[in-house]
Amino acid sequence: MTLRVLPPSPGQFELMVFAKPSEAKEPYKWVCSYQIDCSEPKHPLGLPENPFHFWGLHPKSKDLGVTICNPCEDVIVAENGALTFTFETSRPLLAMFQLFHLELSEPFSKKCLVSQIQDDQLGCHLLLPFWGYYRLSLFVKDQAGGSFQNAGNMFISCKNPVNHNELFPPNLGVHCGPGTNTKQNGLTNPSHVCPIIRTTTGKCNITFHTLWDMDIFTSLENTRLNNNLHSLDRYCFITYLEHKISLTVHLPESGHYKLSIFTKRKENEDFSHACDYVIQCVSTNRLLPFPKVYNAWGHGCILLQPRYGFLPAESWENFRVKVPGACKVLVIGPIKTELQLTKNKIWEGKVFTGTPGTILKIAVKFTPNSTTMDIVMSFKAQIIYENESSG
Protein backbone atom coordinates (compact mmCIF):
# COMPACT_ATOMS: atom_id res chain seq x y z
CA MET A 1 0.00 0.00 0.00
CA THR A 2 1.18 3.50 -0.83
CA LEU A 3 -0.06 6.32 1.38
CA ARG A 4 0.46 9.87 0.12
CA VAL A 5 -0.10 12.64 2.69
CA LEU A 6 -0.83 16.24 1.63
CA PRO A 7 -1.11 18.47 4.74
CA PRO A 8 -3.54 21.35 4.12
CA SER A 9 -1.70 23.90 6.30
CA PRO A 10 1.58 24.41 8.24
CA GLY A 11 1.85 22.67 11.59
CA GLN A 12 2.18 19.27 13.23
CA PHE A 13 -0.12 16.38 12.37
CA GLU A 14 -0.62 12.86 13.69
CA LEU A 15 -1.28 10.21 11.06
CA MET A 16 -2.96 7.05 12.40
CA VAL A 17 -3.18 3.93 10.22
CA PHE A 18 -5.95 1.34 10.71
CA ALA A 19 -6.30 -1.97 8.84
CA LYS A 20 -8.22 -5.23 8.64
CA PRO A 21 -8.35 -8.25 6.29
CA SER A 22 -10.39 -7.39 3.18
CA GLU A 23 -13.04 -10.05 3.85
CA ALA A 24 -13.24 -9.50 7.61
CA LYS A 25 -16.42 -8.15 9.18
CA GLU A 26 -14.79 -6.98 12.41
CA PRO A 27 -13.89 -3.24 12.71
CA TYR A 28 -10.57 -1.74 11.63
CA LYS A 29 -7.68 -2.03 14.13
CA TRP A 30 -5.04 0.56 14.83
CA VAL A 31 -1.70 -0.46 13.28
CA CYS A 32 0.68 2.46 13.74
CA SER A 33 1.02 6.25 13.92
CA TYR A 34 3.29 8.89 12.42
CA GLN A 35 4.13 12.40 13.54
CA ILE A 36 4.23 14.79 10.56
CA ASP A 37 5.82 18.25 10.78
CA CYS A 38 4.75 20.45 7.83
CA SER A 39 6.54 23.80 7.56
CA GLU A 40 4.97 24.82 4.23
CA PRO A 41 2.06 23.09 2.50
CA LYS A 42 2.57 22.51 -1.22
CA HIS A 43 -1.09 21.94 -1.96
CA PRO A 44 -3.32 24.60 -0.37
CA LEU A 45 -6.37 23.41 -2.29
CA GLY A 46 -8.04 20.49 -0.56
CA LEU A 47 -8.46 17.02 -1.95
CA PRO A 48 -11.69 15.95 -3.66
CA GLU A 49 -14.05 14.03 -1.43
CA ASN A 50 -13.69 10.26 -1.80
CA PRO A 51 -16.32 8.16 -0.03
CA PHE A 52 -14.75 4.93 -1.33
CA HIS A 53 -11.57 5.22 0.83
CA PHE A 54 -9.13 4.07 -1.89
CA TRP A 55 -7.41 5.52 -4.94
CA GLY A 56 -6.53 3.78 -8.18
CA LEU A 57 -8.21 0.56 -9.29
CA HIS A 58 -10.22 -1.42 -6.74
CA PRO A 59 -8.16 -4.25 -5.17
CA LYS A 60 -10.64 -6.67 -6.76
CA SER A 61 -11.17 -4.78 -10.02
CA LYS A 62 -10.29 -7.89 -12.05
CA ASP A 63 -13.28 -9.68 -10.52
CA LEU A 64 -15.41 -6.76 -11.72
CA GLY A 65 -13.97 -7.13 -15.25
CA VAL A 66 -11.50 -4.19 -15.25
CA THR A 67 -7.90 -5.38 -15.71
CA ILE A 68 -5.67 -2.41 -16.60
CA CYS A 69 -5.88 1.40 -16.37
CA ASN A 70 -3.77 3.70 -18.53
CA PRO A 71 -2.42 6.05 -17.21
CA CYS A 72 -2.03 4.39 -13.83
CA GLU A 73 0.26 6.64 -11.75
CA ASP A 74 -0.60 7.47 -8.13
CA VAL A 75 -1.08 11.11 -9.14
CA ILE A 76 -2.03 11.60 -12.79
CA VAL A 77 -1.05 15.07 -14.05
CA ALA A 78 -3.08 16.85 -16.73
CA GLU A 79 -0.50 19.33 -18.00
CA ASN A 80 -2.78 21.16 -20.47
CA GLY A 81 -6.14 20.48 -18.83
CA ALA A 82 -6.96 17.54 -21.09
CA LEU A 83 -6.63 13.85 -20.26
CA THR A 84 -7.68 10.50 -21.72
CA PHE A 85 -8.14 7.30 -19.70
CA THR A 86 -8.35 3.78 -21.12
CA PHE A 87 -9.56 0.88 -18.98
CA GLU A 88 -9.03 -2.58 -20.47
CA THR A 89 -11.75 -5.10 -19.65
CA SER A 90 -11.90 -8.90 -19.64
CA ARG A 91 -15.55 -8.93 -20.81
CA PRO A 92 -18.10 -6.47 -22.18
CA LEU A 93 -19.31 -4.13 -19.44
CA LEU A 94 -21.65 -1.22 -18.91
CA ALA A 95 -19.96 1.79 -17.35
CA MET A 96 -20.55 5.19 -15.78
CA PHE A 97 -17.97 7.87 -15.00
CA GLN A 98 -18.21 10.65 -12.42
CA LEU A 99 -15.82 13.61 -12.11
CA PHE A 100 -15.41 15.48 -8.80
CA HIS A 101 -13.67 18.73 -7.83
CA LEU A 102 -14.34 21.07 -4.89
CA GLU A 103 -15.50 23.85 -7.27
CA LEU A 104 -17.20 21.64 -9.86
CA SER A 105 -21.00 21.30 -9.77
CA GLU A 106 -22.58 18.09 -11.02
CA PRO A 107 -24.33 19.69 -14.06
CA PHE A 108 -21.10 21.48 -15.04
CA SER A 109 -19.06 18.27 -14.65
CA LYS A 110 -21.07 16.62 -17.44
CA LYS A 111 -19.57 19.11 -19.92
CA CYS A 112 -16.08 17.96 -18.88
CA LEU A 113 -16.41 14.28 -19.80
CA VAL A 114 -16.86 12.08 -22.88
CA SER A 115 -17.16 8.33 -22.25
CA GLN A 116 -16.85 5.42 -24.67
CA ILE A 117 -17.89 1.80 -24.07
CA GLN A 118 -16.35 -0.92 -26.25
CA ASP A 119 -16.36 -4.70 -25.91
CA ASP A 120 -12.80 -4.90 -24.57
CA GLN A 121 -12.14 -1.45 -23.14
CA LEU A 122 -13.69 1.67 -21.62
CA GLY A 123 -12.56 5.16 -22.54
CA CYS A 124 -12.94 8.54 -20.85
CA HIS A 125 -11.87 11.90 -22.31
CA LEU A 126 -11.62 14.80 -19.84
CA LEU A 127 -11.42 18.59 -20.12
CA LEU A 128 -10.62 20.12 -16.71
CA PRO A 129 -11.82 23.72 -16.08
CA PHE A 130 -10.29 24.35 -12.61
CA TRP A 131 -6.81 24.25 -11.13
CA GLY A 132 -6.22 21.61 -8.44
CA TYR A 133 -7.21 18.03 -7.70
CA TYR A 134 -9.95 15.87 -9.21
CA ARG A 135 -11.38 12.42 -8.61
CA LEU A 136 -12.56 10.39 -11.59
CA SER A 137 -14.66 7.45 -10.42
CA LEU A 138 -15.49 4.46 -12.59
CA PHE A 139 -18.58 2.32 -11.98
CA VAL A 140 -19.20 -0.90 -13.91
CA LYS A 141 -21.66 -3.75 -14.15
CA ASP A 142 -22.17 -6.74 -16.43
CA GLN A 143 -24.41 -6.27 -19.44
CA ALA A 144 -26.59 -9.14 -18.23
CA GLY A 145 -27.70 -7.10 -15.23
CA GLY A 146 -26.81 -6.42 -11.60
CA SER A 147 -25.92 -3.10 -10.01
CA PHE A 148 -23.10 -0.67 -10.71
CA GLN A 149 -20.04 -1.08 -8.48
CA ASN A 150 -17.13 1.25 -7.95
CA ALA A 151 -14.12 -0.16 -9.82
CA GLY A 152 -11.66 2.70 -9.53
CA ASN A 153 -11.00 6.24 -8.32
CA MET A 154 -8.28 8.05 -10.23
CA PHE A 155 -6.47 10.95 -8.54
CA ILE A 156 -5.83 13.80 -11.01
CA SER A 157 -3.81 17.00 -10.66
CA CYS A 158 -4.55 19.83 -13.11
CA LYS A 159 -2.00 22.62 -13.47
CA ASN A 160 -3.33 24.43 -16.55
CA PRO A 161 -7.14 24.31 -16.77
CA VAL A 162 -8.97 24.76 -20.06
CA ASN A 163 -11.19 27.72 -20.88
CA HIS A 164 -14.73 27.27 -19.59
CA ASN A 165 -16.06 28.12 -23.06
CA GLU A 166 -14.11 25.26 -24.65
CA LEU A 167 -15.73 22.34 -22.81
CA PHE A 168 -17.69 19.52 -24.43
CA PRO A 169 -21.33 20.02 -25.50
CA PRO A 170 -23.94 19.34 -22.80
CA ASN A 171 -26.28 16.35 -22.62
CA LEU A 172 -23.91 13.79 -24.16
CA GLY A 173 -25.08 10.20 -23.91
CA VAL A 174 -23.25 7.42 -22.10
CA HIS A 175 -22.38 5.93 -25.49
CA CYS A 176 -20.03 8.33 -27.28
CA GLY A 177 -18.16 7.15 -30.33
CA PRO A 178 -18.49 3.67 -31.81
CA GLY A 179 -18.61 0.72 -29.45
CA THR A 180 -20.82 -1.98 -28.02
CA ASN A 181 -24.03 0.02 -28.46
CA THR A 182 -23.42 0.93 -32.10
CA LYS A 183 -22.81 -2.74 -32.94
CA GLN A 184 -26.01 -3.75 -31.16
CA ASN A 185 -27.81 -1.18 -33.31
CA GLY A 186 -26.38 -2.53 -36.57
CA LEU A 187 -23.36 -0.27 -37.20
CA THR A 188 -19.81 -1.67 -37.54
CA ASN A 189 -16.40 -0.76 -39.04
CA PRO A 190 -16.52 2.97 -38.25
CA SER A 191 -14.31 5.40 -40.11
CA HIS A 192 -13.83 7.39 -36.88
CA VAL A 193 -13.02 5.24 -33.84
CA CYS A 194 -12.46 8.14 -31.44
CA PRO A 195 -15.63 9.87 -30.16
CA ILE A 196 -14.01 13.29 -30.65
CA ILE A 197 -13.51 14.52 -34.23
CA ARG A 198 -11.48 17.66 -34.93
CA THR A 199 -11.90 19.46 -38.26
CA THR A 200 -9.95 22.44 -39.59
CA THR A 201 -12.13 22.71 -42.73
CA GLY A 202 -15.60 22.57 -41.19
CA LYS A 203 -16.24 19.25 -42.93
CA CYS A 204 -16.13 15.61 -41.92
CA ASN A 205 -17.45 12.36 -43.36
CA ILE A 206 -18.33 9.46 -41.04
CA THR A 207 -19.00 6.01 -42.48
CA PHE A 208 -20.25 2.74 -41.00
CA HIS A 209 -20.95 -0.70 -42.40
CA THR A 210 -24.51 -1.87 -41.73
CA LEU A 211 -25.48 -5.34 -40.49
CA TRP A 212 -29.04 -5.17 -41.82
CA ASP A 213 -31.43 -2.97 -43.79
CA MET A 214 -32.03 0.12 -41.65
CA ASP A 215 -32.99 3.77 -41.50
CA ILE A 216 -30.76 6.43 -39.95
CA PHE A 217 -31.72 9.62 -38.15
CA THR A 218 -29.22 12.25 -36.99
CA SER A 219 -29.40 15.28 -34.71
CA LEU A 220 -26.76 18.04 -34.74
CA GLU A 221 -26.59 20.48 -31.81
CA ASN A 222 -24.55 23.51 -30.77
CA THR A 223 -25.80 25.56 -27.81
CA ARG A 224 -23.51 28.53 -28.62
CA LEU A 225 -24.32 28.91 -32.31
CA ASN A 226 -24.90 32.55 -33.24
CA ASN A 227 -27.02 34.06 -36.01
CA ASN A 228 -27.67 30.84 -37.89
CA LEU A 229 -30.71 31.08 -40.14
CA HIS A 230 -31.03 27.40 -40.97
CA SER A 231 -31.80 24.29 -38.91
CA LEU A 232 -28.65 22.41 -37.96
CA ASP A 233 -30.27 19.20 -39.24
CA ARG A 234 -29.67 20.57 -42.76
CA TYR A 235 -25.91 20.42 -42.13
CA CYS A 236 -25.81 16.60 -42.01
CA PHE A 237 -26.44 14.60 -45.20
CA ILE A 238 -27.11 10.85 -45.13
CA THR A 239 -26.22 8.59 -48.05
CA TYR A 240 -27.30 4.93 -48.04
CA LEU A 241 -25.08 2.56 -50.01
CA GLU A 242 -25.13 -1.23 -50.19
CA HIS A 243 -24.17 -2.48 -46.69
CA LYS A 244 -22.71 0.96 -45.90
CA ILE A 245 -23.84 4.36 -44.72
CA SER A 246 -22.17 7.76 -45.06
CA LEU A 247 -22.84 10.79 -42.84
CA THR A 248 -21.41 13.99 -44.30
CA VAL A 249 -21.30 16.97 -41.94
CA HIS A 250 -20.71 20.60 -42.97
CA LEU A 251 -20.58 23.10 -40.09
CA PRO A 252 -21.71 26.75 -40.29
CA GLU A 253 -19.10 28.13 -37.86
CA SER A 254 -16.41 27.16 -35.37
CA GLY A 255 -17.29 25.56 -32.04
CA HIS A 256 -18.07 22.22 -30.37
CA TYR A 257 -20.98 20.24 -31.83
CA LYS A 258 -22.85 17.17 -30.66
CA LEU A 259 -23.82 14.73 -33.42
CA SER A 260 -26.30 12.07 -32.28
CA ILE A 261 -26.94 9.00 -34.45
CA PHE A 262 -30.13 6.92 -34.22
CA THR A 263 -30.98 3.72 -36.12
CA LYS A 264 -33.95 1.44 -36.63
CA ARG A 265 -34.62 -1.71 -38.59
CA LYS A 266 -37.02 -1.34 -41.50
CA GLU A 267 -39.63 -3.44 -39.71
CA ASN A 268 -39.43 -1.41 -36.45
CA GLU A 269 -41.31 1.78 -35.62
CA ASP A 270 -38.95 3.47 -33.17
CA PHE A 271 -35.39 4.70 -33.51
CA SER A 272 -32.72 3.68 -30.96
CA HIS A 273 -29.76 5.81 -29.92
CA ALA A 274 -26.56 4.34 -31.42
CA CYS A 275 -23.93 6.87 -30.30
CA ASP A 276 -22.88 10.51 -30.00
CA TYR A 277 -19.87 12.20 -31.58
CA VAL A 278 -18.26 15.45 -30.43
CA ILE A 279 -17.09 17.49 -33.42
CA GLN A 280 -14.57 20.23 -32.64
CA CYS A 281 -14.60 22.72 -35.52
CA VAL A 282 -11.77 25.27 -35.72
CA SER A 283 -12.57 26.44 -39.24
CA THR A 284 -13.42 30.05 -40.11
CA ASN A 285 -15.47 28.92 -43.13
CA ARG A 286 -19.23 29.48 -43.02
CA LEU A 287 -20.45 26.47 -44.95
CA LEU A 288 -23.91 26.39 -46.49
CA PRO A 289 -26.48 23.72 -45.54
CA PHE A 290 -27.32 20.71 -47.69
CA PRO A 291 -30.45 20.57 -49.89
CA LYS A 292 -33.78 19.69 -48.32
CA VAL A 293 -34.42 15.94 -48.74
CA TYR A 294 -37.84 14.27 -49.05
CA ASN A 295 -39.00 10.71 -48.33
CA ALA A 296 -38.66 9.54 -51.95
CA TRP A 297 -34.88 10.07 -51.73
CA GLY A 298 -34.12 6.53 -50.64
CA HIS A 299 -31.44 3.88 -50.35
CA GLY A 300 -28.88 3.91 -53.14
CA CYS A 301 -29.55 7.54 -54.14
CA ILE A 302 -26.37 9.62 -54.39
CA LEU A 303 -26.10 13.40 -54.73
CA LEU A 304 -22.96 14.28 -56.70
CA GLN A 305 -23.66 17.91 -57.70
CA PRO A 306 -24.54 20.41 -56.33
CA ARG A 307 -23.82 19.52 -52.71
CA TYR A 308 -25.28 22.67 -51.15
CA GLY A 309 -28.93 23.64 -50.74
CA PHE A 310 -28.35 27.29 -51.63
CA LEU A 311 -27.16 28.05 -55.15
CA PRO A 312 -25.89 31.29 -56.73
CA ALA A 313 -28.78 33.14 -58.33
CA GLU A 314 -28.83 33.84 -62.07
CA SER A 315 -26.26 31.13 -62.77
CA TRP A 316 -25.95 27.80 -64.59
CA GLU A 317 -25.19 24.87 -62.29
CA ASN A 318 -24.29 21.26 -63.05
CA PHE A 319 -26.72 18.72 -61.58
CA ARG A 320 -25.54 15.11 -61.22
CA VAL A 321 -27.44 12.46 -59.23
CA LYS A 322 -27.78 8.70 -59.01
CA VAL A 323 -31.35 7.50 -58.49
CA PRO A 324 -31.77 3.69 -58.73
CA GLY A 325 -34.94 2.64 -60.53
CA ALA A 326 -35.64 6.08 -62.02
CA CYS A 327 -37.20 6.31 -65.49
CA LYS A 328 -37.05 10.08 -65.75
CA VAL A 329 -35.45 12.88 -63.70
CA LEU A 330 -36.33 16.57 -63.97
CA VAL A 331 -35.13 19.74 -62.26
CA ILE A 332 -38.12 22.05 -61.91
CA GLY A 333 -37.15 25.71 -61.60
CA PRO A 334 -37.60 28.79 -63.78
CA ILE A 335 -37.71 26.21 -66.55
CA LYS A 336 -38.01 22.44 -66.53
CA THR A 337 -34.71 20.75 -67.29
CA GLU A 338 -34.69 17.04 -68.05
CA LEU A 339 -31.50 15.33 -66.86
CA GLN A 340 -29.89 12.78 -69.16
CA LEU A 341 -28.78 9.30 -68.12
CA THR A 342 -25.09 8.56 -68.83
CA LYS A 343 -23.37 5.21 -69.30
CA ASN A 344 -22.33 5.38 -65.63
CA LYS A 345 -26.04 5.50 -64.64
CA ILE A 346 -25.73 9.13 -63.55
CA TRP A 347 -28.49 11.61 -64.34
CA GLU A 348 -26.89 14.93 -65.27
CA GLY A 349 -27.56 18.28 -66.94
CA LYS A 350 -26.99 22.03 -66.73
CA VAL A 351 -29.70 24.00 -64.89
CA PHE A 352 -30.41 27.74 -64.70
CA THR A 353 -31.06 28.78 -61.07
CA GLY A 354 -33.16 31.91 -61.71
CA THR A 355 -33.68 35.01 -59.57
CA PRO A 356 -32.98 35.11 -55.81
CA GLY A 357 -35.64 33.20 -53.90
CA THR A 358 -36.36 30.71 -56.71
CA ILE A 359 -36.98 27.17 -55.48
CA LEU A 360 -35.55 24.35 -57.63
CA LYS A 361 -36.85 20.81 -57.14
CA ILE A 362 -35.57 17.46 -58.37
CA ALA A 363 -38.52 15.31 -59.47
CA VAL A 364 -38.29 11.60 -60.32
CA LYS A 365 -40.60 9.23 -62.21
CA PHE A 366 -40.08 5.64 -61.03
CA THR A 367 -42.61 3.84 -63.26
CA PRO A 368 -42.88 4.44 -67.05
CA ASN A 369 -46.69 4.63 -67.13
CA SER A 370 -47.05 6.88 -64.08
CA THR A 371 -48.54 10.32 -64.60
CA THR A 372 -46.99 11.74 -61.43
CA MET A 373 -43.43 12.37 -60.29
CA ASP A 374 -41.97 12.27 -56.79
CA ILE A 375 -40.13 15.31 -55.41
CA VAL A 376 -36.90 14.01 -53.87
CA MET A 377 -34.92 17.19 -53.15
CA SER A 378 -35.12 20.99 -53.27
CA PHE A 379 -32.68 23.90 -53.54
CA LYS A 380 -32.98 27.67 -53.30
CA ALA A 381 -31.32 30.34 -55.43
CA GLN A 382 -29.84 33.26 -53.53
CA ILE A 383 -27.00 35.75 -53.50
CA ILE A 384 -23.89 34.01 -52.12
CA TYR A 385 -21.72 36.31 -50.00
CA GLU A 386 -17.95 36.14 -49.72
CA ASN A 387 -17.97 34.64 -46.22
CA GLU A 388 -20.28 31.79 -47.30
CA SER A 389 -18.67 28.73 -48.87
CA SER A 390 -20.37 26.52 -51.44
CA GLY A 391 -17.38 24.64 -52.72
Side-chain angles (χ1 to χ4, degrees), residues 95-229:
M96 293 193 308
F97 292 93
Q98 292 182 352
L99 184 66
F100 293 87
H101 183 280
L102 291 178
E103 298 182 51
L104 189 63
S105 66
E106 183 177 354
F108 195 43
S109 71
K110 295 180 180 179
K111 298 176 63 177
C112 304
L113 189 152
V114 169
S115 62
Q116 185 175 19
I117 300 174
Q118 297 174 291
D119 287 345
D120 57 355
Q121 69 178 30
L122 308 171
C124 185
H125 300 260
L126 298 177
L127 293 177
L128 307 177
F130 298 108
W131 179 86
Y133 296 116
Y134 293 78
R135 168 171 58 89
L136 175 68
S137 293
L138 167 65
F139 303 87
V140 298
K141 72 174 183 177
D142 288 315
Q143 293 189 354
S147 58
F148 281 102
Q149 298 184 63
N150 179 237
N153 301 287
M154 317 318 293
F155 185 53
I156 302 168
S157 173
C158 176
K159 298 182 177 180
N160 296 294
V162 300
N163 189 301
H164 288 203
N165 294 322
E166 298 299 323
L167 298 177
F168 297 122
N171 304 318
L172 290 170
V174 176
H175 303 284
C176 292
T180 305
N181 199 55
T182 51
K183 189 183 299 182
Q184 291 174 350
N185 284 280
L187 300 177
T188 63
N189 300 98
S191 59
H192 293 72
V193 177
C194 180
I196 303 172
I197 301 173
R198 181 180 174 86
T199 171
T200 57
T201 63
K203 304 177 182 181
C204 68
N205 190 65
I206 305 168
T207 61
F208 289 94
H209 286 240
T210 55
L211 295 177
W212 48 73
D213 195 14
M214 67 172 61
D215 289 326
I216 300 287
F217 170 75
T218 61
S219 174
L220 188 65
E221 300 177 25
N222 183 328
T223 57
R224 298 181 61 245
L225 197 61
N226 298 319
N227 302 321
N228 193 56
L229 300 176

